[in-house]
Amino acid sequence: MSAPPPETATPENAEFAATAAAPAVLVNSASARASLEALRSEIAKAVVGQDPAVTGLVVALLCRGHVLLEGVPGVAKTLLVRALAASLELDTKRVQFTPDLMPSDVTGSLVYDARTAEFSFQPGPVFTNLLLADEINRTPPKTQSSLLEAMEERQVTIDGSPRPLPDPFLVAATQNPMEYEGTYPLPEAQLDRFLLKLTVPLPSRDDEINVLTRHADGFNPRDLEAAGIRPVAGPADLEAARAAVARTSVSPEIAAYVVDICRATRESPSLALGASPRGATALLSTARAWAWLTGRDYVIPDDVKALALPTLRHRIQLRPEAEMEGVTTDSVITTVLAHVPVPR
């Protein structure tokens, strides 16, 4: 018996295919959002009272960006990133940045093999999906710069040969405030590579009591598996989520609002350096991710306002006289948001 002829493509068939594909896209998007919500819940098993920082890490994953976590020692910055790593089905590595760390300790190097009389490349810890750069500002700028190409180009060049990094690739760096002894300020070019700078504050009294109660009940921050943290999201969930974020619409009015905010920082008398166009594109990206996480497929002004501080605070620079008067980058951005007209 001969096989039946293939079905002829018609406009009606095409319309049916498009209609059938739409629910599948919605299902994938809803499933990815549920996975990322579960990710936030898993991290909460180990970290208490740092919900904004957890949300920022999720936003960075959606935007293929990197995160800088700043806070005094002992506020669970490293634990937060380790809990994120334990909740993801991704390869993770950790580097403790110290004053004697060399760039090759991060990127890898060529090693001479006496048996073959040839050099072979030994990849460094940067060849991973999630890199925890712990206390990044305790190493000199020379070593800090080893991450510049990796964070921007997603590759490492050794001896003239570019070597691509795995996808996804995220650098989650922690740092102590600049007032602490033994710290080196990050160069502007390095700071600009971070999508978000998240501040990790001291916990409230109730949260601190909760932390102590957990420790009294046997919680061990070095054993996250015993705390019940399991992988709840993986590369497929991230790809579906990123595709959904890319479909989140941005009106011309919202785009103009983002531009007006960034341009207003360049005109602020308190700032020596305002947000660049790269800062504007970063703010738009994070606002889209936040809109999708909250269940919308379009961006509203509140999404932009919600992400303005973590997206822009490390991209602007105070004038010395403003800093002496107690002005902060956060207060400047808050003032800008209060004065830039909001689209209706």
Side-chain angles (χ1 to χ4, degrees), residues 15-290:
E15 182 178 355
F16 174 78
T19 305
V25 170
L26 293 176
V27 170
N28 288 340
S29 176
S31 174
R33 186 183 291 111
S35 295
L36 292 178
E37 287 295 332
L39 182 68
R40 297 164 70 182
S41 301
E42 285 295 302
I43 296 174
K45 293 179 181 178
V47 181
V48 177
Q50 300 293 357
D51 292 340
V54 174
T55 301
L57 285 168
V58 174
V59 168
L61 283 169
L62 291 174
C63 298
R64 302 178 185 271
H66 310 289
V67 177
L68 181 63
L69 295 161
E70 182 178 271
V72 300
V75 291
K77 300 186 298 296
T78 302
L79 178 61
L80 176 60
V81 181
R82 288 180 54 239
L84 172 68
S87 306
L88 289 169
E89 294 177 328
L90 299 174
D91 182 47
T92 63
K93 289 185 174 68
R94 176 178 181 270
V95 178
Q96 182 68 46
F97 279 73
T98 55
D100 60 344
L101 193 73
M102 299 298 291
S104 59
D105 295 330
V106 179
T107 61
S109 59
L110 294 175
V111 178
Y112 181 74
D113 189 340
R115 292 173 299 177
T116 62
E118 293 180 349
F119 285 92
S120 62
F121 176 66
Q122 297 297 320
V126 74
F127 286 86
T128 187
N129 296 122
L130 174 59
L131 177 67
L132 168 54
D134 211 2
E135 295 188 301
I136 190 173
N137 63 335
R138 290 201 181 276
T139 196
K142 176 182 177 180
T143 304
Q144 294 172 8
S145 65
S146 65
L147 287 174
L148 285 174
E149 182 185 17
M151 295 172 70
E152 183 65 23
E153 306 296 336
R154 314 288 168 141
Q155 67 178 26
V156 171
T157 301
I158 304 292
D159 196 32
S161 300
R163 291 174 168 83
L165 296 171
D167 184 44
F169 173 68
L170 167 72
V171 174
T174 69
Q175 75 168 13
N176 300 128
M178 292 303 148
E179 296 79 13
Y180 275 68
E181 187 176 353
T183 59
Y184 298 85
L186 296 179
E188 287 82 359
Q190 180 80 64
L191 284 171
D192 203 39
R193 297 300 195 277
F194 288 101
L195 178 72
L196 299 171
K197 180 182 177 182
L198 306 173
T199 56
V200 184
L202 290 166
S204 66
R205 181 175 182 273
D206 290 342
D207 286 337
E208 197 164 357
I209 292 173
N210 192 351
V211 170
L212 266 62
T213 301
R214 289 189 180 194
H215 279 261
D217 292 339
F219 171 72
N220 182 0
R222 297 174 183 82
D223 189 0
L224 296 180
E225 186 175 349
I229 296 182
R230 301 289 185 272
V232 294
D237 299 304
L238 285 178
E239 281 303 312
R242 288 167 174 174
V245 170
R247 293 191 296 269
T248 303
S249 63
V250 179
S251 68
E253 292 78 13
I254 292 295
Y257 182 51
V258 171
V259 169
D260 290 342
I261 290 173
C262 292
R263 292 181 69 87
T265 64
R266 300 169 206 163
E267 299 167 0
S268 171
S270 299
L271 296 181
L273 179 68
S276 68
R278 190 200 302 238
T281 59
L283 180 54
L284 186 62
S285 297
T286 55
R288 293 176 82 184
W290 177 244

Side-chain angles (χ1 to χ4, degrees), residues 5-17:
E7 185 176 358
T8 305
T10 64
E12 291 79 8
N13 290 340
E15 182 178 355
F16 174 78

